[in-house]
């Protein structure tokens, strides 16, 4: 058994009795209550999901396995000369909660290299799709056709025991994750670069190989590592994470489940916001003849967007109530690598002006920027100007978190998700009964 898989199995054996004890001895302890407002308001804030992979504090932002973003970046092994850690080491950390040594990280790097090759029929399927299809639809389709590779589905059909579910789920998760950089880069080069794919370099790591297959020189390899880690997980209630887990709870395999999560990520209120930010910034620049606006002009443009009934993309959040630390991490990168980029300067100006406008507007509970307000600027600077591709990058990162989660879900035997619905009549009856 490989090092990571063996450690994961030890951790699973440690955690199983905790879940069993909570379910058996404390199953009736009240965790939360649900108001009518929450039932008709998107289940905001109701505590009814369990994950140890990451946690989101409304003020502080995300912690991965208990560590803040900067702690995560600081402790994980890096390639000499790189500012950001190996994605493979981060995968080890998310799965086990333990910081890997460089040797343990390199084992995963090698393991992923062995799993990297994408079946030719996936590329053939992508080539058969209309070129003007959104790249998120391409990604979702590419992943779902690979379902024929699922070990979980095969072993389930052979009659596997429940206690073994985690093993083929882990194998599927690693196989799928290791292939995503090649699939994403293929979509990019096929759709936007006259179908000129670049072959994987067997000597490179996850982030480095992705940059290489995109055809973009360093430090884009570090951009990729940073980007994938920042987008990996945001606890379990967001649409992409929750969709993946919901679908997996029916014992659908990792390919079906993650593909469903990708579809959820493609909504403009979720992952698609990063392309919307760029579209919005472009329209500001266009209206002002390519010039940077003054703060007054920007304010007018923000109000124009709000008055036309649209949201300011990249601002607000369902849980966060402060500036997203994922936004700040990218801002730090921009300050070092692209301080004079006009688009970065505009994003900084929006950061100065938009929270005040949103507060005055009085609707958004959180007037501060989220991860998507900054991420497109970094991509644009390094030549990825095709902004409808940005959510694919988010999706590759999100795979790390959701695949770790569904591996653990199978390991801990979490059941089929099935919340209960009520009718509007029932809600009114509850109100009347309480007088
Ligand atoms: N611009 C304008 N209005 C906003 C707003 C924004 N950025 N953010 C929230 N609002 C509005 C909502 O539309 C809602 O209006 P309504 O009462 O007329 O329906 C009201 O403020 C209250 O919303 P909320 O409770 O503050 O937010 P929410 O939990 O319902 O939604 C989110 C959260 C992210 C969908 C919302 O803030 C939004 O639409 N932001 C812009 C899109 C975006 O950046 N999405 C990416 C989020 C991060 C991610 O998942 N990638």
């Amino acid at each position: 058994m490989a090092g990571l898989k063996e450690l994961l199995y030890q951790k699973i054996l440690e955690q199983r009795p905790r879940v069993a004890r909570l379910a058996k001895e404390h199953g009736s302890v009240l965790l939360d209550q649900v108001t009518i407002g929450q039932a008709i308001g998107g289940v905001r804030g109701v505590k009814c999901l369990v994950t140890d992979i990451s946690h989101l504090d409304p003020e502080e932002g995300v912690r991965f396995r208990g560590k803040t973003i900067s702690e995560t970046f600081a402790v994980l092994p890096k390639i000499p000369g790189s500012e950001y850690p190996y994605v493979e080491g981060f995968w080890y950390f998310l799965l086990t909660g333990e910081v890997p040594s460089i040797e343990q990280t390199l084992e995963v790097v090698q393991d992923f290299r062995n799993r990297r090759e994408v079946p030719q029929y996936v590329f053939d399927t992508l080539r058969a799709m209309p070129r003007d299809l959104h790249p998120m639809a391409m990604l979702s389709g590419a992943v779902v056709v690979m379902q024929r590779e699922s070990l979980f589905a095969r072993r389930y059909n052979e009659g596997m025991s429940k206690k073994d579910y985690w093993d083929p789920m882990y194998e599927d998760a690693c196989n799928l994750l290791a292939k995503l950089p090649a699939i994403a880069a293929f979509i990019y080069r096929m759709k936007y670069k006259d179908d000129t794919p670049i072959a994987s370099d067997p000597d490179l790591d996850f982030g480095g190989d992705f940059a290489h297959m995109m055809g973009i020189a360093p430090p884009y390899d570090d951009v990729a590592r940073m980007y994938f880690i920042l987008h990996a997980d945001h606890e379990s209630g967001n649409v992409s994470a929750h969709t993946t887990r919901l679908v997996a709870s029916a014992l659908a395999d990792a390919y079906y489940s993650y593909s469903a999560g990708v579809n959820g990520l493609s909504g403009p209120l979720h992952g698609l916001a990063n392309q919307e930010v760029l579209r919005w910034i472009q329209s500001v620049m266009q209206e002002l003849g390519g010039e940077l606006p003054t703060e007054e002009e920007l304010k007018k443009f923000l109000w124009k967007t709000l008055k036309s009934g649209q949201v300011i993309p990249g601002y607000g959040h369902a849980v966060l109530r402060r500036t997203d630390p994922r936004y700040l991490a990218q801002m730090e990168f921009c300050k070092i690598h692209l301080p004079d980029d006009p688009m970065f300067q505009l994003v900084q100006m929006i950061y100065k002006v938009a929270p005040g406008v949103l507060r005055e507007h009085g609707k958004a509970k959180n007037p501060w920027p989220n991860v998507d307000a900054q991420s497109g600027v970094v991509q644009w600077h390094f030549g990825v100007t095709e902004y409808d591709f940005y959510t694919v990058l988010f999706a590759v990162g999100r795979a790390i978190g959701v695949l770790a989660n569904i591996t653990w879900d199978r390991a801990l035997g979490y059941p089929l998700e099935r919340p209960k619905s009520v009718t509007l009549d029932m809600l009114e009856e509850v109100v009347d009964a309480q007088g």
Side-chain angles (χ1 to χ4, degrees):
M1 220 186 243
L4 167 58
K5 194 169 174 186
E6 198 167 46
L7 177 63
L8 176 63
Y9 187 50
Q10 281 167 22
K11 299 270 168 193
I12 290 168
L13 294 180
E14 282 164 29
Q15 300 302 326
R16 277 181 177 159
R18 291 178 70 192
V19 178
R21 189 178 73 89
L22 285 165
K24 198 167 166 213
E25 296 172 27
H26 306 288
S28 57
V29 173
L30 198 64
L31 176 65
D32 211 344
Q33 288 178 325
V34 185
T35 63
I36 288 181
Q38 287 171 314
I40 58 177
V43 209
R44 288 294 183 291
V46 180
K47 290 180 191 144
C48 57
L49 299 167
V50 185
T51 179
D52 284 331
I53 306 287
S54 70
H55 183 71
L56 180 56
D57 180 87
E59 305 292 324
E60 185 195 52
V62 70
R63 276 182 184 258
F64 300 119
R65 288 285 187 178
K67 294 201 188 303
T68 62
I69 288 170
S70 47
E71 288 165 355
T72 303
F73 283 154
V75 295
L76 289 173
K78 300 176 185 69
I79 295 178
S82 289
E83 288 172 56
Y84 293 93
Y86 282 100
V87 170
E88 293 90 335
F90 181 67
W91 168 243
Y92 186 114
F93 173 59
L94 277 197
L95 268 180
T96 64
E98 292 202 7
V99 174
S101 64
I102 183 67
E103 291 76 22
Q104 288 165 325
T105 303
L106 291 176
E107 259 183 47
V108 185
V109 170
Q110 189 51 47
D111 182 45
F112 271 33
R113 282 178 188 148
N114 299 340
R115 298 172 187 266
R116 211 179 252 181
E117 194 176 334
V118 177
Q120 182 58 39
Y121 67 81
V122 176
F123 297 137
D124 294 343
T125 304
L126 282 166
R127 282 210 171 94
M129 292 178 183
R131 279 303 140 83
D132 61 355
L133 190 64
H134 195 281
M136 283 295 276
M138 289 182 171
L139 177 64
S140 172
V143 170
V144 93
V145 296
M146 274 201 300
Q147 190 276 334
R148 76 190 279 278
E149 309 298 323
S150 173
L151 285 173
F152 183 91
R154 198 175 313 156
R155 290 201 38 205
Y156 186 83
N157 288 336
E158 288 164 4
M160 143 180 71
S161 157
K162 274 186 182 183
K163 68 176 182 11
D164 295 332
Y165 283 173
W166 71 274
D167 183 319
M169 189 57 118
Y170 166 84
E171 294 295 334
D172 279 355
C174 294
N175 286 336
L176 173 54
L177 187 55
K179 291 172 177 49
L180 286 176
I183 295 173
F186 182 88
I187 291 173
Y188 181 75
R189 306 258 345 157
M190 179 190 74
K191 186 169 162 69
Y192 308 105
K193 303 287 172 193
D194 295 325
D195 198 358
T196 53
I198 298 172
S200 162
D201 180 338
D203 293 332
L204 294 173
D205 65 304
F206 192 98
D209 198 29
F210 176 71
H212 159 75
M213 290 182 287
M214 289 286 285
I216 307 176
Y220 191 69
D221 52 348
D222 255 347
V223 170
R225 295 181 193 106
M226 168 185 75
Y227 203 93
F228 294 149
I229 293 174
L230 284 181
H231 288 81
D233 208 32
H234 222 216
E235 66 174 44
S236 280
N238 65 78
V239 172
S240 52
H242 190 205
T243 307
T244 308
R245 297 187 79 185
L246 173 66
V247 175
S249 84
L251 299 188
D253 60 58
Y255 297 89
Y256 278 130
S257 306
Y258 168 69
S259 171
V262 167
N263 298 343
L265 192 66
S266 70
L269 296 186
H270 189 23
L272 208 76
N274 55 16
Q275 85 168 51
E276 297 300 307
V277 170
L278 253 287
R279 195 198 303 279
W280 189 82
I281 287 178
Q282 292 295 316
S283 58
V284 177
M285 300 273 255
Q286 209 170 8
E287 186 149 315
L288 299 165
E291 297 295 312
L292 272 180
T294 63
E295 285 184 19
E296 249 343 278
E297 285 169 329
L298 184 59
K299 220 180 253 184
K300 273 194 202 139
F301 207 87
L302 285 158
W303 274 113
K304 193 172 142 192
T305 303
L306 290 170
K307 283 183 181 155
S308 66
Q310 296 171 59
V311 294
I312 307 297
Y315 278 73
H317 199 271
V319 178
L320 277 169
R321 293 297 173 255
R322 290 267 187 277
T323 299
D324 190 336
R326 300 172 300 173
Y327 173 93
L328 294 173
Q330 293 179 92
M331 187 175 96
E332 288 312 312
F333 179 92
C334 293
K335 279 185 177 166
I336 295 167
H337 292 277
L338 43 133
D340 302 326
D341 186 298
M343 191 124 36
F344 174 55
Q345 288 171 353
L346 178 53
V347 165
Q348 290 287 80
M349 195 191 284
I350 299 170
Y351 187 28
K352 206 166 156 200
V353 175
V357 171
L358 280 168
R359 263 200 229 97
E360 203 180 324
H361 184 240
K363 275 192 167 185
K365 292 191 189 68
N366 172 24
W368 299 104
N370 59 59
V371 64
D372 294 317
Q374 186 79 245
S375 56
V377 176
V378 184
Q379 297 299 330
W380 188 282
H381 182 83
F382 288 97
V384 187
T385 53
E386 303 83 358
Y387 47 74
D388 56 357
F389 185 70
Y390 295 169
T391 316
V392 172
L393 300 168
F394 191 152
V396 175
R398 184 48 51 102
I400 310 168
V402 299
L403 293 172
N405 267 296
I406 60 176
T407 303
W408 269 101
D409 289 353
R410 292 295 69 81
L412 298 178
Y414 288 147
L416 178 76
E417 270 194 41
R418 180 55 170 95
K420 180 82 189 83
S421 10
V422 290
T423 64
L424 285 176
D425 281 348
M426 289 172 188
L427 290 183
E428 282 162 359
E429 278 161 24
V430 172
V431 173
D432 292 345
Q434 293 188 2

